[in-house]
Amino acid sequence: MPVVTRLGVLSAFIFVVSATLLAQTSSTTDNAPALMPGFDRQVMDTTADPCVDFFQYSCGNFSKLHPIPNDRPGFGTGTMVAEYTEHVLHEMLDSTAGGGADRSPNEQKIGDYYAACMDTDAINQRGLKSLQPELDRIAALKSKNELPGLLGHFQLIGVNAFLSFGEQQDFKDARKQIAVVDQGGLGLPERDYYLRTGTADVKLREQYVQHITNMLKLMGASESQAAKDAQAIMQLETALARVSLDVTSQRDPNKIYHMSSLDELSKLAPSFDWSRFLAAGGAPPVTELNITHKEFFQGLNAVLDSTDLPTIQAYLRWQLIHSIPGWALPKALDDEAFDFNGRKLSGQPEQRARWKRCSEATDAALGEAVGQVYVAREFPTSSKAATIQMVHDIEAAMDQDLDTLDWMSPETKVRAREKLHAIADKIGYPERWRDYSTLTVARDDAFGNALRATEFEARRQLAKIGKPVDRGEWGMSPATVNAYYNPSMNDINFPAAILQPPFYDKNAPDSVNYGHIGGVVGHELTHGFDDEGRQFDASGNLSDWWTAEDAKKFEQKTDCEVKEYGNFVVVDNVHINGKLTLGENTADNGGLRLAYLAFLADAKRKSIDVNQKQDGFTPLQQFFLAHGQSWCGSARPESMRLQAQTDPHSFRKYRVNGVVQNMPEFGQAFGCKVGQPMMPENACRVW
Ligand SMILES: [Zn+2]
């Protein structure tokens, strides 16, 4: 199950590694890491000057104490909580994997899914036999006319060859669920990987072609045939990349929303039988759908016309193998997939332990069955109650803060407030659990389980088309260490697993919890009002509720952030992409400010002097230190490059320094002077 929707409209809190990148093995079980406390003095570098580099001051010793493990592309505060959660899941899954007649239906499913994934002997013995029915379908293609039927079937099992098809809430009528066709068909992370010049990119493309060659060989092709096919596949994907939108443009809802008739799609790409494709893809009959980016489908038509059938078949074999999670493949293919996706693309030296991969895979396939057991064991009602209180405090802070904004007109403020009050708060886990009863999980068939789980989820999504929206639905599993805002639902969501230390620590003072989880809550809330979220109204519809003058002022304010972050260098000569990260940066800045205001209000209620030192730091300093420590950690250069080029989140160091340098309140709390790096004369402020 993808963590984000196909269109990626969910705004998450943390960098989400895509499923293909989580393709990793090894064997030893290591001990669960301890969770960091809300405020950890050990990770600080007190020799650094907080006014010069606050990230270094808050987290300078973190990477000495917690170096990046060999099975990770990077490691930090969030990863530590994720590792801890993986250990919890491992214990849980291990005990249900033992079998036994007393297991509940959900326990049977998660236990057997995990057990099948762990059974590498069975996976290796089967070899490519599991794949054969799909390979036969490709080989059986007699002409390009038969392609739509096969591609429809492939969509159901997660192979997005040539394009993507799915379901979404209608941007302009959030009550409706509609079909959507989107660009797709690439094997590299996004379009610019095919087109960018520069030594690092050229080298990666060569490695990619070699990787395709190796995979095709492992599937039985001769050396010369595999090499020839790989070149042709690269050409085909490059042609698709040329007509695709880049990651930055995909954040603009108006660029990815074009409600159209089915006839129009047929006019854009007449060489492809769309009705046949939709029927084979399991879609209910539709007459209209969202064509995200029309130029892509014109380009797709040209690619289909100009490519011969044998090349298309080679491309399909590649896309098929590329889409299957490595853990379900025989060892040689799994290793080769890791070598490219893990080692070359992310700089990760070693595959992850098998049990980690299988815990993750089980959560990805059966997230709410795993989550039900996880929540009962790990999520006390006190954590839920404390989070609800925090969310209400922060929503109240935003309500009050709107009054103080000098750049927004009273008219737009009324609409902003309307939207704020309509936001649904979802904490921990769904009220109604997903029903997996029709999904078959076999204890001896890892590959089949992976395919069936993917198809189960695809059909669940497609079944929504034409039905009323379920506002209780979640886009992340409870065991996920992350959070998100969904503009179409207008809801903020905090899975149970992020509500543990250091993000929420019941033993930490309020100052620390407001700095950590308060910042997360403020971040998601602010997403409703960032450059993307602000275009959706209280009901979740893409509709402009701003006066022209206010919209112009908003853009001027955000331009300041685009420039500020665009100046930050991540690795080598790679800068942060200020436009790609604008929404996340706005959410980081607005979020911490809201948490700060809520904290001050709370301290006032409790008559706490926020400037009175306790154990060496004032509560205000502790608030900012907790925020800094939300982002401790480091990453390998390859992974930093990947993040800067594909991910809307800024690199961790700048999620700390970029924010505090925009808050004069920070400089005051640490006695900085105007003109020092963390207290510049011209700070940016949107919210
Ligand atoms: Zn976010």
Side-chain angles (χ1 to χ4, degrees):
M1 186 187 76
V3 176
V4 289
T5 61
R6 216 162 228 166
L7 281 170
V9 290
L10 303 189
S11 295
F13 183 59
I14 297 177
F15 174 31
V16 179
V17 183
S18 75
T20 46
L21 296 181
L22 291 172
Q24 325 333 300
T25 301
S26 146
S27 50
T28 49
T29 305
D30 43 347
N31 295 322
L35 286 170
M36 250 171 96
F39 176 38
D40 188 349
R41 285 162 200 269
Q42 288 183 51
V43 302
M44 292 175 67
D45 173 5
T46 48
T47 66
D49 184 342
C51 301
V52 173
D53 183 348
F54 188 59
F55 177 73
Q56 179 65 24
Y57 183 73
S58 321
C59 293
N61 276 334
F62 181 92
S63 296
K64 285 176 209 147
L65 293 165
H66 311 288
I68 307 174
N70 279 343
D71 71 348
R72 287 274 184 189
F75 196 74
T77 311
T79 342
M80 223 163 152
V81 185
E83 284 271 332
Y84 174 86
T85 306
E86 243 163 30
H87 279 83
V88 172
L89 293 188
H90 178 215
E91 208 184 293
M92 224 175 82
L93 292 168
D94 231 16
S95 63
T96 51
D102 57 343
R103 294 185 299 174
S104 70
N106 272 345
E107 283 172 346
Q108 177 271 319
K109 285 191 166 58
I110 64 177
D112 288 354
Y113 199 94
Y114 177 80
C117 173
M118 288 300 289
D119 192 352
T120 47
D121 287 347
I123 293 169
N124 289 325
Q125 259 166 34
R126 272 193 186 222
L128 287 171
K129 253 184 276 168
S130 307
L131 209 58
Q132 203 52 51
E134 302 305 330
L135 291 172
D136 289 347
R137 287 176 203 257
I138 297 172
L141 282 178
K142 298 264 178 333
S143 82
K144 287 195 254 180
N145 292 337
E146 293 173 1
L147 199 53
L150 180 56
L151 291 192
H153 161 73
F154 271 2
Q155 287 292 319
L156 283 173
I157 59 167
V159 187
N160 294 339
F162 288 110
L163 73 148
S164 297
F165 171 70
E167 172 277 341
Q168 69 166 108
Q169 261 174 287
D170 188 339
F171 280 175
K172 295 213 168 154
D173 183 354
R175 293 166 306 176
K176 276 167 68 185
Q177 305 189 94
I178 54 168
V180 51
V181 280
D182 193 14
Q183 64 188 37
L186 306 183
L188 283 168
E190 72 115 15
R191 72 158 255 159
D192 285 347
Y193 275 79
Y194 293 86
L195 309 176
R196 227 178 353 240
T197 52
T199 23
D201 291 285
V202 171
K203 187 176 161 204
L204 192 72
R205 283 196 285 272
E206 284 165 13
Q207 290 171 329
Y208 179 59
V209 171
Q210 187 59 54
H211 169 52
I212 301 174
T213 309
N214 296 346
M215 291 297 268
L216 295 177
K217 267 164 62 188
L218 288 167
M219 290 164 79
S222 70
E223 170 85 44
S224 60
Q225 187 64 46
K228 190 170 153 258
D229 285 346
Q231 291 293 350
I233 289 165
M234 186 62 175
Q235 263 180 33
L236 193 164
E237 289 188 3
T238 307
L240 293 178
R242 281 209 179 90
V243 290
S244 296
L245 287 176
D246 61 47
V247 272
T248 305
S249 302
Q250 286 181 76
R251 285 194 61 249
D252 181 346
N254 288 302
K255 286 192 180 155
I256 54 168
Y257 179 80
H258 304 96
M259 275 310 275
S260 316
S261 66
L262 201 53
D263 286 349
E264 186 161 4
L265 185 56
S266 299
K267 278 187 198 122
L268 290 168
S271 302
F272 194 77
D273 184 341
W274 291 97
S275 303
R276 203 166 152 193
F277 168 78
L278 293 174
V286 291
T287 49
E288 56 167 14
L289 76 177
N290 177 17
I291 305 173
T292 55
H293 178 50
K294 292 187 177 179
E295 289 74 10
F296 176 82
F297 291 91
Q298 286 169 322
L300 171 64
N301 200 69
V303 169
L304 289 173
D305 283 349
S306 63
T307 312
D308 59 30
L309 186 63
T311 302
I312 288 177
Q313 287 170 310
Y315 168 73
L316 294 177
R317 281 193 292 275
W318 156 243
Q319 283 285 319
L320 170 68
I321 200 73
H322 180 67
S323 70
I324 293 163
W327 56 262
L329 293 172
K331 187 170 187 316
L333 284 147
D334 184 21
D335 286 350
E336 171 59 32
F338 170 74
D339 185 62
F340 183 76
N341 296 313
R343 214 168 271 138
K344 302 228 163 62
L345 214 44
S346 316
Q348 180 179 326
E350 284 175 16
Q351 288 226 3
R352 312 204 66 210
R354 187 80 192 177
W355 66 263
K356 291 184 183 179
R357 305 173 70 196
C358 291
S359 301
E360 218 159 58
T362 310
D363 190 54
L366 291 150
E368 293 195 9
V370 172
Q372 223 173 324
V373 186
Y374 173 78
V375 162
R377 278 179 50 149
E378 293 289 317
F379 189 54
T381 46
S382 58
S383 297
K384 183 161 179 164
T387 310
I388 290 171
Q389 186 56 48
M390 177 78 76
V391 170
H392 290 164
D393 283 0
I394 287 169
E395 285 168 346
M398 184 163 206
D399 194 292
Q400 283 181 9
D401 191 43
L402 279 171
D403 280 335
T404 68
L405 291 180
D406 56 4
W407 57 272
M408 191 184 259
S409 69
E411 276 169 273
T412 308
K413 280 182 183 175
V414 169
R415 303 296 300 276
R417 221 170 233 124
E418 208 175 286
K419 176 162 185 179
L420 170 64
H421 293 160
I423 289 176
D425 308 325
K426 285 150 79 174
I427 319 285
Y429 53 91
E431 292 197 353
R432 203 158 32 81
W433 296 101
R434 204 167 287 172
D435 175 10
Y436 295 101
S437 55
T438 57
L439 170 63
T440 305
V441 177
R443 200 177 172 76
D444 58 354
D445 184 11
F447 184 92
N449 289 343
L451 246 51
R452 281 188 294 272
T454 304
E455 180 165 352
F456 177 82
E457 174 59 14
R459 288 194 186 275
R460 191 185 72 81
Q461 296 285 357
L462 293 173
K464 294 189 218 166
I465 296 171
K467 303 255 172 63
V469 174
D470 171 11
R471 297 232 159 225
E473 189 181 359
W474 279 65
M476 281 180 185
S477 75
T480 308
V481 184
N482 208 335
Y484 70 91
Y485 169 74
N486 180 345
S488 291
M489 289 279 202
N490 198 25
D491 62 4
I492 50 177
N493 304 256
F494 306 93
I498 200 172
L499 304 173
Q500 49 185 342
F503 297 111
Y504 169 69
D505 181 354
K506 67 177 183 344
N507 300 315
D510 294 333
S511 56
V512 167
N513 282 324
Y514 275 97
H516 267 300
I517 195 70
V520 179
V521 172
H523 174 103
E524 299 311 337
L525 201 58
T526 307
H527 268 314
F529 305 88
D530 70 15
D531 60 323
E532 185 182 30
R534 79 170 186 90
Q535 301 184 61
F536 293 80
D537 67 14
S539 309
N541 295 326
L542 182 61
S543 98
D544 193 357
W545 47 272
W546 294 62
T547 66
E549 184 65 14
D550 288 341
K552 210 171 114 196
K553 284 184 185 155
F554 177 88
E555 276 162 22
Q556 282 163 0
K557 300 226 158 247
T558 51
D559 271 352
C560 178
E561 286 182 346
V562 172
K563 289 194 191 90
E564 176 196 359
Y565 283 80
N567 278 325
F568 294 140
V569 176
V570 180
V571 61
D572 299 335
N573 57 351
V574 181
H575 285 239
I576 285 182
N577 176 340
K579 273 208 168 4
L580 172 63
T581 57
L582 177 59
E584 295 301 334
N585 298 334
T586 302
D588 280 347
N589 280 273
L592 195 68
R593 174 169 297 281
L594 293 179
Y596 170 84
L597 295 172
F599 167 55
L600 289 189
D602 181 69
K604 199 172 167 191
R605 278 196 299 269
K606 294 173 180 161
S607 304
I608 292 168
D609 179 355
V610 295
N611 293 305
Q612 179 71 45
K613 276 194 182 172
Q614 292 162 359
D615 299 334
F617 295 99
T618 69
L620 265 188
Q621 290 173 332
Q622 288 177 12
F623 168 85
F624 285 110
L625 281 163
H627 168 67
Q629 294 189 351
S630 293
W631 294 112
C632 288
S634 55
R636 302 181 193 282
E638 294 87 343
S639 140
M640 288 161 88
R641 180 180 289 269
L642 177 69
Q643 184 183 353
Q645 290 174 340
T646 60
D647 193 278
H649 300 89
S650 293
F651 187 61
R652 50 181 70 251
K653 175 178 173 179
Y654 302 112
R655 296 190 75 168
V656 177
N657 288 354
V659 172
V660 297
Q661 72 185 53
N662 286 335
M663 279 183 83
E665 296 87 344
F666 164 81
Q668 283 149 21
F670 282 89
C672 307
K673 293 188 193 71
V674 175
Q676 284 192 286
M678 297 296 112
M679 204 180 188
E681 268 170 55
N682 299 312
C684 301
R685 178 167 171 196
V686 181
W687 294 106

